[in-house]
Amino acid sequence: MSHPTLSNQEVARRGKELYEESIRAKVETQENIGKIISINVETGDYEIGDDLVETSLRLKSKQPNAALWGERIGYDAVYAVGGTLLRTAQ
């Protein structure tokens, strides 16, 4: 679902930037590898869990119109359809 003021490309750019620059070092721990993280690209708030819907709903309960970006911690994609997820974490 698109956001009313941010394009999908802008949400993706902000989400990747936030994850790489300020969140990744905090959350990429052994117990979080493979979990899902949803990020509010406007505030930098995030939720970690086992399911993208669960983490997104927790963020949306705090700010219903939040623009969200999702990552799988330690991997190059959230899901793989017909391919393989590549682990990026050591």
Side-chain angles (χ1 to χ4, degrees):
M1 179 196 273
S2 48
H3 189 265
T5 59
L6 298 175
S7 69
N8 291 340
Q9 292 80 15
E10 182 64 12
V11 171
R13 186 194 66 76
R14 288 184 184 195
K16 290 177 183 177
E17 185 177 290
L18 277 167
Y19 185 75
E20 291 298 328
E21 294 180 3
S22 61
I23 299 172
R24 184 180 187 158
K26 297 177 197 168
V27 303
E28 211 166 89
T29 61
Q30 197 59 38
E31 67 264 9
N32 285 337
I33 298 295
K35 289 188 177 180
I36 300 294
I37 182 169
S38 290
I39 303 166
N40 180 332
V41 301
E42 296 170 296
T43 66
D45 290 343
Y46 59 87
E47 292 284 342
I48 297 172
D50 296 323
D51 181 89
L52 186 59
V53 173
E54 164 200 329
T55 57
S56 296
L57 288 175
R58 286 199 310 246
L59 279 177
K60 289 277 188 179
S61 72
K62 298 174 189 172
Q63 186 179 0
N65 294 324
L68 303 181
W69 176 253
E71 295 268 345
R72 181 175 298 275
I73 298 171
Y75 286 85
D76 65 338
V78 174
Y79 298 108
V81 178
T84 304
L85 291 175
L86 296 177
R87 187 168 171 166
T88 57
Q90 300 299 319

